[in-house]
Amino acid sequence: MVSLDVLGGLAIALAGMPLLGLATRRYRNSSGGARTDLIASDVNKWAVFALLCGYVLFVEERPLSSMTGQSLDPLAFGVTVGGGVLLLFVTSALTTPFFDRLGVGGLGEGMSELASLSRRHRIAIAVTAGVTEEALFHGYAIERLLELTGSPLLAGSVSFVAFTLGHVLGWDRGAVARIAVPALLTTVLYLLVRDVVALMAIHALNDAVGLLLIDAIRSGEPADSAAGRDETTQ
């Protein structure tokens, strides 16, 4: 029998961020510009993350460690994080020209907005995305779906689809197509290593590098061809 507690947690993990983001955009009385929108987005992510943690502790009555499959030893952790960041970087370098040739839209407007932020704010965005998105869409969602189905393929597929569709609310279709690539890679990586902290580090470091290099990327390449360096950030 499927536990209603788990279904409630999955609803929070897979739908909480996009639904809260949609509600925030719809009911805010006025817009304070791109910077305010980004701050609101990050606040929403931490709010959903906190809600899920509380749900795990007080409704499911499980420890927060249940939101990951295992904890790697320090050496394996370092190798996994380094290899994961390298994989995302190389994949971005290979797929960005492909998307450009197909005329698939990029993240030019989003990059322009992010370029106006301070370095500290960009790092905060990267950390927020890495911690909250990995905890919800991979750590919690995949672990609970594995419990329910016993199928890594099904668990990973549901997580990947939910994460990708969650970006439809804030990005155009071309950007979502580009975002789907690192989303798929991080989903596969999680299924391989089952350590959500390692995935948080990979995600955050990948985003941080892309966000900190926005100025150099935009000055050296057309905006559309530069897109993709920070595609896992929402």
Side-chain angles (χ1 to χ4, degrees):
M1 180 177 178
V2 176
S3 170
L4 293 179
D5 289 348
V6 172
L7 292 180
L10 285 171
I12 295 171
L14 298 176
M17 281 187 184
L19 290 179
L20 185 56
L22 181 62
T24 299
R25 284 191 292 271
R26 182 171 181 178
Y27 292 108
R28 281 178 60 197
N29 293 326
S30 62
S31 174
R35 189 184 303 270
T36 302
D37 290 340
L38 288 167
I39 292 174
S41 175
D42 283 357
V43 170
N44 286 344
K45 290 178 180 180
W46 285 112
V48 177
F49 174 70
L51 175 62
L52 182 64
C53 289
Y55 190 90
V56 170
L57 290 171
F58 301 111
V59 178
E60 293 185 346
E61 297 184 339
R62 302 194 197 189
L64 294 180
S65 59
S66 68
M67 296 169 66
T68 188
Q70 65 173 336
S71 296
L72 298 173
D73 63 69
L75 177 59
F77 183 89
V79 171
T80 298
V81 172
V85 172
L86 179 61
L87 175 63
L88 290 177
F89 179 81
V90 170
T91 302
S92 176
L94 293 174
T95 58
T96 296
F98 173 75
F99 282 124
D100 291 341
R101 291 191 192 97
L102 292 179
V104 175
L107 307 178
E109 183 179 350
M111 289 186 72
S112 297
E113 295 175 351
L114 291 166
S116 68
L117 304 177
S118 67
R119 289 179 177 269
R120 182 177 300 177
H121 193 173
R122 296 182 207 179
I123 292 173
I125 289 173
V127 172
T128 294
V131 172
T132 62
E133 293 176 6
E134 293 302 323
L136 272 65
F137 289 98
H138 290 150
Y140 181 89
I142 289 181
E143 291 304 320
R144 296 302 188 268
L145 286 166
L146 284 173
E147 288 182 12
L148 293 176
T149 69
S151 171
L153 178 60
L154 181 57
S157 297
V158 171
S159 169
F160 165 70
V161 170
F163 180 87
T164 304
L165 290 181
H167 288 74
V168 171
L169 297 176
W171 300 89
D172 61 35
R173 287 179 295 179
V176 173
R178 292 176 183 255
I179 288 168
V181 175
L184 178 61
L185 288 176
T186 51
T187 299
V188 172
L189 282 171
Y190 182 80
L191 287 169
L192 291 174
V193 302
R194 301 280 297 280
D195 185 334
V196 75
V197 178
L199 266 294
M200 289 176 178
I202 292 169
H203 189 150
L205 286 171
N206 178 70
D207 284 6
V209 170
L211 291 171
L212 292 175
L213 293 179
I214 284 177
D215 297 325
I217 293 170
R218 294 179 71 235
S219 64
E221 303 177 16
D224 285 341
S225 65
R229 301 295 193 266
D230 61 321
E231 290 167 358
T232 53
T233 302
Q234 180 184 355

